[in-house]
Each structure stands twice: as C-alpha cells, then as structure tokens.
Amino acid sequence: MEKFIIKGGRRLCGEVEISGAKNAAVAIIPAVILSDEPCILENVPNISDVSISLRILYEMGADVQFLSSNTVRIDATGITEPIVPYEMAKHMRASYYFLGTLLGKFKRARVAVPGGCYLGDRPIDQHLKAFASLGAACTLDHGMIDIQTENLIGSQIYFDMVTVGATINTMLAAVKATGMTVIENAAREPHIVDLANFLNSMGANIMGAGTDVIKIKGVKSLKGATYAIIPDQIEAGTFMVAAAATKGDVLIKNIIPKHLESITAKLEKIGVNAEEFDDSIRISVDGPLVKTTVKTMPHPGFPTDMQPQISTLLCLAEGTSIVTEGIFDNRFRYVDELRRMGADISVDGKVAVIEGVPELMGAPVTAPDLRAGAALVIAGLAAKGVTEIEDIYHIERGYENFEEKLRGLGADIVKKSVPGSSTVRKAAL
Ligand code: EPZ
C-alpha cells in the first residue's frame, strides 16, 4: 500500500486544472452499452473508479482503447452476456449502474450487490422500485441482483427520497423502454444533467434533467457519439477549501461556476475571497476565517461530498461552527483522525460541533473513505509539522494526479510505499 507524507504550513499559490467529473464518468461509461455503435468519451478523469468501470466493460467483451490520457473509445457492441460478477463489481459501489444499462439494453441483468457502507446504510430499494415500475422482476440470488422482463414499459416513478443513484439507474433503464417514463422527486446534480446530455447526443429523448421531474420518451435505438465529460465540481471544491485552509491564493481552472454556487457562497460566509471568471475561480484569504453553519442537502444545496472538507476548514475558523450531515447516516468517521491533529470537534449522530483552534498539528492518520481522505490531506497541508496519511487508495478513486497538482501549487507532499501494510483493500463507495 502507499501513503502521503505532507510537511504542512505552506501557502498554496498558483494555478490548477480541474479534471473530468468522477460521478459523471462512472454513469456515462456504463451508458455506452446502450449504444449500437462505438462512442468516444473526452475529459475522462484518470482515477481508479474509472479504471474499474472500463475494466468491467472490457471483461464483458467491449473494445476499450485510450486515444489519449483522457480520451477513450469504447465499442460495447460485442457484449452479449448482461452479467457483472462479484469479482468485478465488489471494488466499486457505482457498479450498480450496470443494472440499469444492461436492463435497458438486454431487458435483463445480473450484477453483484454493491458493497461499501462507509457512509452508513446505503440501500438500493429505490433503484429496485423503479425497475419494478418499468416491468422488471427483481430477485436476490446468492449475492447477485437478478432483474429481467419481457418488455420495459414506461411508467410514473416517485422516489421516497432524492437519490442520485436511483435517478441515474432509472434513466439508463428507461431510455429504450416503450412509452414515457416520468421520474418525480428526481436528483438534480450536475452529473445527472451530464448523463442526460450524453444519452440525448446518442438519440435519446430525455427532458427536464436538472429539475426534480425528468421525462424520458423511449426510443428504439441509440447511435454512437463523441462526448466531453463535465469538470468535477467536488474536485474543484476540494481545491477551493485547500487554498482557503492554507491562506493561499489559487486560480482553479476548467470549472463551471454555476456548479459551485453553494460551495462558493459558504466559503464567502467563512471569510474567503472568491473571484469568479467564465471557467475559473480565484480563491484567496486576507483576513480571519469565521464560524458558520452547514447542512448538506441534495443539489443545489451544499453537497455532502464536500462535508469533510468544509468541516476541516471550520476547525481553523474562529468560533463555534455546526455541521449537519443531511444525506448519509455516518459521514463523520474522519473526525477521530482530525482530533489526533488537535481539532476540537464533537459529533452527536448527524451533527458535528466544531470549536475553532489556532492551528492543527501534523500526525499519522488513516483515510476512512474518499472525501474524508481528501479532507485529511487539507488538514495536513494546513497543519504545523508532518502528517502521514495511510490508505490513500480511497483518495485515488476520485482525484486525478492529486499530489502532483498540489505540488504544483507549492505543497510539500510525497507518496511513499508502505511495505506489508495490513490494511485490507475495502470496496469503494
Ligand atoms: C452518489 O451516491 C454519489 N456516488 C456519492 O458520491 C454522493 O455522496 C451521493 O450520490 C449523494 O450526492 C456516485 O455518484 C458514484 P444517493 P448514491 O442514492 O447514489 C438513500 C463520492 O464521494 N438511498 O443519492 O449512493 C441513501 O442511503 C460519493 O463521490 C436509499 O435509502 O447516493 C442516502 O442516505 C460518496 N435507497 C440517500 O438516499 C436507495 O435506493 C442519498 O443516496 C438509494 C438511496
């Protein structure tokens, strides 16, 4: 295994380029199965979740060729068996998108039950409810979810809660169904819109993505397309917080400012300067960081995937901050690690109370999951002294060239192999 070693206390200054969005890529890559022709995807982030998604396609019989480091040509027309075995699916929670796309293409799918409950209970009842509404029989058979139907018929689906995954899976299953499917209480994240735009570029008929009602008129076939994935708003937000935590001055490039609105607004409330341009944003700090309250919500609210990062920043803000996790049951597992660095945080269920401290101290810590790991990197960059972070494979699932980008901004961060580490590689979120 490998770890990061960070010598903290250096201001991040300069420019950084944001990569393609992980949560768009892990939905769009399986969606290529729906096409009757090859597709070319651009701005694909070079991260392990994408590698796993492409590997699954390849193992199923697709032709996958990288035309450049971030452009990939996929011909999935060679796939005949709609099965994703446990050995392939166990490494990544988003493998469940293969359920929707295989059902949409073949009217049947067998995919291993997704792993990863790092954020608390993460059921998929809404996914199965949607598939059943479209006419599919869903059964659990030896750890495999088995869904099939004679015909996929468009229907009205109302989700009990806003769910990104179930919204995406329903779009994938419904795009070639007979008739109209209406999803109510749909998720509105930028990656939902990105998937809809990709599917429509192949000839699908999806309206309303980005609102809470999405209408999908089934079509008979989908042709090939060339499509560029949107920039990753969570990677951008992570760099914004890192710049603020080190009181740096960073220009974050290749972003869509509208996707960052809730993050920018919250940072400004904390006392951070944010100067927006067409496709970039400049973050700097010239005064004290001050307390605030945060509650994570579905988009366009403050994103849960930025909760560990903003909580880390608030550890260095004057006063008492309150952070409420509105989406997942257990997304504060990083707090114990921050406490080792001198943070003053107490957690009661879904609420963290953060007392600002003058500075954090470097310490050995372990990344419990992807975004918590990124938050610990931010803490290490801001801390006095050396921080060593183990289990960085979590971080590499969602951040392309993370330490290189940080070094480009002046951070003192290196990756080091750890012989014989006992950490068992756990399923991704
Ligand atoms: C997606 O997870 C993202 N993952 C997560 O990002 C993100 O945190 C989450 O959406 C919320 O934005 C990917 O896109 C690969 P949900 P997902 O379905 O789809 C409950 C990261 O760091 N729920 O929107 O699993 C669920 O338990 C990752 O990039 C049900 O009860 O999230 C949760 O409490 C972490 N039943 C809430 O809804 C269901 O059938 C929202 O979950 C589905 C969800």
Side-chain angles (χ1 to χ4, degrees):
M1 304 301 268
E2 295 173 308
K3 65 180 173 183
F4 284 146
I5 299 174
I6 301 169
K7 288 197 184 91
R10 297 162 69 109
R11 295 179 63 236
L12 297 187
C13 295
E15 298 185 356
V16 65
E17 190 91 17
I18 297 304
S19 302
K22 165 180 96 76
N23 290 345
V26 296
I28 287 171
I29 289 168
V32 171
I33 288 174
L34 290 160
S35 171
D36 297 331
E37 297 171 346
C39 292
I40 292 177
L41 301 180
E42 299 168 342
N43 202 34
V44 177
N46 181 14
I47 55 178
S48 54
D49 270 15
V50 162
S51 308
I52 293 168
S53 301
L54 293 172
R55 180 82 192 170
I56 290 173
L57 281 179
Y58 172 77
E59 298 282 348
M60 292 177 75
D63 179 61
V64 177
Q65 287 175 5
F66 271 92
L67 306 180
S68 76
S69 57
N70 297 106
T71 301
V72 61
R73 179 185 183 276
I74 304 170
D75 180 353
T77 55
I79 293 176
T80 53
E81 272 301 289
I83 298 173
V84 180
Y86 177 69
E87 274 317 303
M88 286 196 267
K90 71 180 180 183
H91 294 300
M92 185 184 68
R93 179 172 177 76
S95 53
Y96 58 29
Y97 290 146
F98 284 88
L99 279 169
T101 189
L102 292 169
L103 181 64
K105 173 83 173 196
F106 297 102
K107 298 192 178 56
R108 62 192 177 96
R110 264 175 74 81
V111 179
V113 176
C117 56
Y118 298 105
L119 310 175
D121 187 17
R122 297 181 75 182
I124 60 167
D125 57 302
Q126 302 296 301
H127 301 239
L128 302 180
K129 167 176 139 176
F131 296 148
S133 296
L134 294 168
C138 305
T139 53
L140 193 55
D141 165 30
H142 292 88
M144 298 290 283
I145 301 169
D146 199 303
I147 48 177
Q148 54 186 313
T149 180
E150 286 302 312
N151 283 303
L152 282 170
I153 310 293
S155 77
Q156 188 99 8
I157 295 159
Y158 186 93
F159 287 131
D160 299 347
M161 81 290 294
V162 175
T163 154
V164 167
T167 301
I168 287 175
N169 245 337
T170 306
M171 289 164 68
L172 294 169
V175 76
K176 293 181 71 182
T178 304
M180 179 73 83
T181 296
V182 179
I183 305 172
E184 307 228 31
N185 201 20
R188 302 168 52 187
E189 272 67 6
H191 28 292
I192 304 275
V193 178
D194 210 27
L195 174 65
N197 290 340
F198 172 59
L199 291 169
N200 284 341
S201 74
M202 293 200 285
N205 187 342
I206 301 172
M207 299 149 280
T211 74
D212 60 354
V213 179
I214 299 177
K215 293 183 178 178
I216 303 156
K217 193 169 184 313
V219 295
K220 290 231 178 298
S221 67
L222 294 175
K223 58 187 189 313
T226 295
Y227 190 79
I229 289 169
I230 54 170
D232 193 316
Q233 81 273 19
I234 303 301
E235 183 196 12
T238 302
F239 276 98
M240 292 163 73
V241 171
T246 59
K247 297 203 182 325
D249 187 340
V250 176
L251 181 66
I252 296 152
K253 300 163 68 176
N254 186 33
I255 59 144
I256 299 172
K258 179 145 186 61
H259 291 172
L260 299 172
E261 278 178 343
S262 62
I263 301 168
T264 305
K266 194 57 73 177
L267 286 173
E268 288 177 327
K269 269 195 73 180
I270 297 172
V272 176
N273 304 319
E275 191 181 356
E276 263 182 28
F277 305 95
D278 288 347
D279 61 356
S280 60
I281 189 165
R282 183 179 169 204
I283 298 295
S284 62
V285 176
D286 50 24
L289 299 176
V290 295
K291 67 174 174 60
T292 191
T293 58
V294 179
K295 176 165 186 178
T296 65
M297 304 285 286
H299 192 81
F302 190 86
T304 176
D305 293 345
M306 282 297 300
Q307 182 261 89
Q309 301 92 311
I310 203 79
S311 298
T312 299
L313 182 65
L314 291 169
C315 290
L316 296 165
E318 291 172 1
T320 305
S321 297
I322 307 287
V323 177
T324 304
E325 172 54 51
I327 305 292
F328 291 109
D329 298 336
N330 180 16
R331 196 162 201 172
F332 287 116
R333 287 164 7 105
Y334 61 92
V335 165
D336 286 342
E337 303 301 308
L338 283 181
R339 285 201 192 104
R340 295 154 65 89
M341 301 177 72
D344 182 349
I345 309 181
S346 57
V347 174
D348 180 5
K350 292 189 166 189
V351 180
V353 178
I354 303 171
E355 298 293 344
V357 294
E359 66 180 1
L360 295 173
M361 296 160 290
V365 293
T366 301
D369 62 60
L370 165 58
R371 304 305 175 182
L376 292 173
V377 170
I378 292 170
L381 293 169
K384 189 175 177 188
V386 175
T387 298
E388 298 195 359
I389 304 175
E390 289 216 337
D391 287 359
I392 60 171
Y393 64 86
H394 286 297
I395 303 171
E396 294 175 329
R397 289 185 41 231
Y399 291 92
E400 182 179 55
N401 302 329
F402 197 35
E403 75 272 15
E404 289 91 338
K405 291 186 180 184
L406 287 168
R407 272 202 296 273
L409 294 172
D412 182 344
I413 177 172
V414 294
K415 190 192 297 187
K416 191 177 170 202
S417 290
V418 185
S421 167
S422 60
T423 305
V424 175
R425 184 186 183 84
K426 299 194 179 82
L429 299 189

